[in-house]
C-alpha cells in the first residue's frame, strides 16, 4: 500500500476525523479482513457483509498477498438491508491453497450511481459492515478474525480510494480508520500491548498488519504477569501481513510464559529509501492463543494507546 511522509496539516486533518482508536462493528465505505487463508478443504476464512447504504450497493473485494501485491478480485451487488456470506474457499479461484493474505472490501458505484459492478468508482458514502472468522471443520473449531473498519483512504484525513476498484494495487489504500495510526513524527496511537500465553502447553502467534514496510527487527519490552521486564526483539519478514511466535524470541526469560509485549510502533513503518526513512500509516495487531485448557483457539486484540 502507498507509503509517504505525512505533512503536519494532514496529521491535524486525520485526528480531527477521530481516527485515534480501533473501531469494530460499525458501517463505512469499506473494511479490511487482515488475515485470510484456506487449505483447499477443511480450513477457510468466512466473511459476512451487511449493507445499510440506503440503496443497492456493489461491493468490490480484492485479495492481496502478505506483501500487498494484488492477487485476485471480484464484485457482488447487495440490495439495501441485505446480508451476504463470503466463503474464501469458494470465492478464491484456483491455485490459492495455503496462500495467506488479506481482503479489502469497498463500496462501489461512485457518489451518484448507477450502483452496479459496472461502476467501478468508490462510493465514499457507502455503508457496509463486515465480520469474519476462521473455520477448521476437521478440528470442529471456529476462531474470531478481527475486521478493521473503514473508512478507507488514500490520503490522510480524506476518505476514498482513487481510481478503479477492479484494479486496486499496492498504492490504492494507505490508511484505514479502524486501525491504530503510526505517525512519522513519533505521535499517534500505535503503542501496543500484545498478549501472549505459553503456559501448560499453550501457544501464541501475534499477527501484525499494516499499510506498509514493517519488515525488519523491532525492539520491544516484554513483561510477565508479575511486572518483570526485559528488552528483546521480534522480526517481521513480510511487508504488510506477518506474525511472530513469542516463544521463539531470543532472550525471553524461560519463566515469561504469561504476559504482554509492549511495542511503541509510532514511526515503525519504513520506506525503501537508503537509509530507510519513517513513514506514516495504519497498524493493527492481535494474538491467536491455543490453550489445551480452553480446547479452542482464542483471539485477543492487541490493546493500544
Amino acid at each position: 500500500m502507498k507509503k509517504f511522509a505525512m505533512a503536519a496539516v494532514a496529521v491535524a486533518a486525520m485526528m480531527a476525523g477521530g481516527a485515534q482508536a480501533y473501531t469494530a462493528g460499525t458501517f463505512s465505505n469499506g473494511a479490511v479482513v487482515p488475515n485470510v487463508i484456506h487449505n483447499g478443504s477443511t480450513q477457510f476464512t468466512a466473511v459476512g457483509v451487511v449493507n445499510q447504504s440506503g440503496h443497492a450497493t456493489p461491493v468490490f473485494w480484492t485479495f492481496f498477498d502478505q506483501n500487498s501485491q494484488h492477487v485476485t478480485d471480484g464484485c457482488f451487488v447487495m440490495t439495501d438491508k441485505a446480508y451476504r456470506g463470503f466463503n474464501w474457499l469458494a470465492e478464491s479461484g484456483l491455485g490459492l491453497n495455503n496462500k495467506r493474505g488479506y481482503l479489502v472490501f469497498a463500496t462501489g458505484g461512485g457518489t451518484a450511481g448507477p450502483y452496479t459492478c459496472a461502476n467501478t468508482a468508490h462510493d465514499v458514502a457507502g455503508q457496509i459492515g463486515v465480520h469474519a472468522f476462521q473455520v477448521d471443520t476437521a478440528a470442529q473449531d471456529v476462531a474470531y478474525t478481527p475486521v478493521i473498519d473503514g473508512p478507507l483512504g488514500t490520503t490522510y484525513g480524506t476518505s476514498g480510494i482513487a481510481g478503479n476498484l477492479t484494479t486496486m494495487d499496492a498504492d490504492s489504500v494507505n490508511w484505514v480508520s479502524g486501525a491504530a495510526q503510526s505517525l512519522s513524527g513519533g505521535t499517534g496511537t500505535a503503542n501496543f500491548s500484545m498478549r501472549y500465553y505459553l503456559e501448560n502447553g499453550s501457544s501464541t502467534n501475534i499477527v501484525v498488519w499494516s499499510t506498509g514496510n514493517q519488515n525488519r527487527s523491532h525492539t520491544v519490552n516484554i513483561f510477565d504477569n508479575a511486572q518483570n521486564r526485559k528488552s528483546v526483539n521480534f522480526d517481521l519478514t513480510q511487508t504488510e501481513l506477518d506474525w511472530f511466535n513469542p516463544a521463539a524470541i531470543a532472550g525471553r526469560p524461560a519463566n515469561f510464559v504469561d504476559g504482554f509485549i509492549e511495542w511503541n510502533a509510532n514511526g515503525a513503518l519504513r520506506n525503501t529509501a537508503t537509509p530507510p526513512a519513517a513513514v506514516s500509516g495504519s497498524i493493527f495487531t492481535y494474538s491467536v492463543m491455543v490453550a489445551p485448557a480452553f480446547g479452542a483457539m482464542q483471539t485477543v486484540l492487541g490493546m493500544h494507546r
Side-chain angles (χ1 to χ4, degrees):
M1 291 186 174
K2 195 171 185 179
K3 300 96 181 168
F4 59 89
M6 183 188 302
V9 64
V11 177
M14 186 189 70
M15 289 307 178
Q20 300 185 49
Y22 287 166
T23 55
T26 65
F27 289 87
S28 70
N29 60 32
V32 174
V33 183
N35 192 9
V36 174
I37 194 169
H38 74 76
N39 70 353
S41 56
T42 60
Q43 298 176 16
F44 56 90
T45 304
V47 180
V49 184
V50 174
N51 178 29
Q52 291 282 12
S53 299
H55 50 71
T57 296
V59 178
F60 290 83
W61 60 266
T62 302
F63 177 72
F64 294 92
D65 69 15
Q66 290 179 252
N67 293 304
S68 203
Q69 299 303 304
H70 178 284
V71 178
T72 189
D73 59 71
C75 176
F76 52 86
V77 176
M78 300 180 67
T79 57
D80 189 39
K81 307 293 184 183
Y83 170 84
R84 187 187 192 279
F86 182 95
N87 182 330
W88 179 234
L89 176 60
E91 299 280 358
S92 64
L94 298 176
L96 292 179
N97 294 14
N98 300 309
K99 179 79 169 180
R100 193 177 297 274
Y102 64 92
L103 282 164
V104 175
F105 290 87
T107 54
T111 57
Y115 296 107
T116 71
C117 287
N119 189 345
T120 62
H122 192 199
D123 177 9
V124 297
Q127 294 286 294
I128 58 171
V130 180
H131 68 75
F133 47 89
Q134 189 67 26
V135 179
D136 186 338
T137 59
Q140 296 185 318
D141 196 10
V142 176
Y144 166 66
T145 299
V147 171
I148 311 171
D149 288 357
L152 312 175
T154 53
T155 58
Y156 288 88
T158 304
S159 297
I161 300 171
N164 187 329
L165 291 178
T166 67
T167 55
M168 291 176 63
D169 60 20
D171 292 337
S172 294
V173 176
N174 75 12
W175 68 273
V176 183
S177 181
Q181 308 304 323
S182 171
L183 309 185
S184 57
T187 59
T189 58
N191 195 325
F192 293 97
S193 295
M194 304 180 292
R195 280 282 285 127
Y196 69 89
Y197 185 70
L198 308 172
E199 200 166 14
N200 300 321
S202 300
S203 63
T204 299
N205 282 313
I206 297 178
V207 177
V208 182
W209 179 91
S210 74
T211 53
N213 284 342
Q214 63 187 21
N215 53 334
R216 63 188 183 91
S217 181
H218 300 268
T219 300
V220 293
N221 284 317
I222 186 170
F223 291 83
D224 67 5
N225 57 2
Q227 298 177 284
N228 297 303
R229 181 206 64 83
K230 192 173 185 187
S231 179
V232 293
N233 301 278
F234 70 85
D235 296 327
L236 300 176
T237 59
Q238 307 294 327
T239 303
E240 301 201 8
L241 166 63
D242 211 344
W243 63 93
F244 65 95
N245 177 4
I249 289 178
R252 176 185 64 87
N255 61 345
F256 277 41
V257 294
D258 185 5
F260 65 93
I261 294 169
E262 188 175 70
W263 178 34
N264 186 343
N266 287 315
L269 306 183
R270 304 282 165 169
N271 62 22
T272 55
T274 304
V279 296
S280 303
S282 301
I283 302 182
F284 190 86
T285 75
Y286 66 94
S287 301
V288 179
M289 299 183 287
V290 179
F294 299 154
M297 289 185 288
Q298 307 295 315
T299 302
V300 179
L301 284 176
M303 295 160 278
H304 70 95
R305 54 187 172 86

